[in-house]
């Protein structure tokens, strides 16, 4: 069992930056692939980024590539999403997800999800 709690959301102007964090509790965090998704009301949950259990492999959605960076600290059981050059279209609720494989996380079928943190980017 893994519990995930996101933090770091807020209101920021376009062009600004935010850093989201996801704290995980439970066993064997370092064995889980971690990911970030986002969702706008009325839309499906959208893949943002994923990082392998060791941190050595990352993938990003085309819409955030070059602006967002996912990282993890297995000693602190945290995964982060550094978001730079934010755009109004990045406005969404951001969710942290965890599962054993990149495929499971990227396909939004991950076993564990956090409650989300809201990000609002004003123009």
């Amino acid at each position: 069992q893994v519990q995930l709690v996101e933090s770091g959301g807020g209101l920021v102007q376009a062009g600004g930056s935010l850093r989201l964090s996801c704290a995980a509790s439970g066993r064997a965090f370092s064995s889980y692939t971690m990911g970030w998704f986002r969702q706008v009301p009325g839309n499906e949950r959208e893949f943002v980024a994923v990082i392998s259990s060791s941190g050595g492999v990352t993938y990003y959605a085309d819409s955030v590539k070059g602006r967002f960076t996912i990282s993890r600290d297995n000693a602190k059981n945290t995964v982060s999403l550094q978001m730079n050059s934010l755009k109004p279209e990045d406005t969404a609720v951001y969710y942290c997800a965890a599962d054993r494989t990149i495929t499971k996380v990227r396909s939004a079928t991950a076993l564990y999800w956090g409650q989300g943190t809201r990000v609002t980017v004003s123009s």
Side-chain angles (χ1 to χ4, degrees):
Q1 190 80 5
V2 176
Q3 293 81 42
L4 304 174
V5 179
E6 303 93 337
S7 62
L11 174 64
V12 63
Q13 288 189 332
S17 298
L18 277 177
R19 186 176 181 87
L20 305 183
S21 292
C22 174
S25 59
R27 302 177 65 177
F29 171 79
S30 61
S31 68
Y32 284 90
T33 293
M34 303 296 297
W36 287 95
F37 285 74
R38 63 188 182 187
Q39 188 170 24
V40 175
N43 289 3
E44 291 188 356
R45 199 163 288 189
E46 175 191 15
F47 167 75
V48 175
V50 64
I51 188 167
S52 63
S53 56
S54 67
V57 178
T58 58
Y59 294 104
Y60 296 90
D62 287 342
S63 58
V64 307
K65 202 172 293 183
R67 299 188 298 123
F68 291 10
T69 302
I70 189 171
S71 61
R72 65 188 296 159
D73 185 338
N74 285 343
K76 296 182 178 179
N77 283 14
T78 59
V79 60
S80 299
L81 185 69
Q82 178 66 43
M83 305 187 297
N84 298 329
S85 302
L86 282 161
K87 304 175 182 180
E89 51 263 45
D90 295 318
T91 295
V93 177
Y94 283 72
Y95 297 90
C96 177
D99 210 315
R100 295 292 188 177
T101 69
I102 288 179
T103 299
K104 290 283 278 185
V105 173
R106 287 190 71 174
S107 64
T109 58
L111 187 58
Y112 303 109
W113 293 87
Q115 294 300 305
T117 185
R118 184 175 302 276
V119 172
T120 303
V121 184
S122 63
S123 57

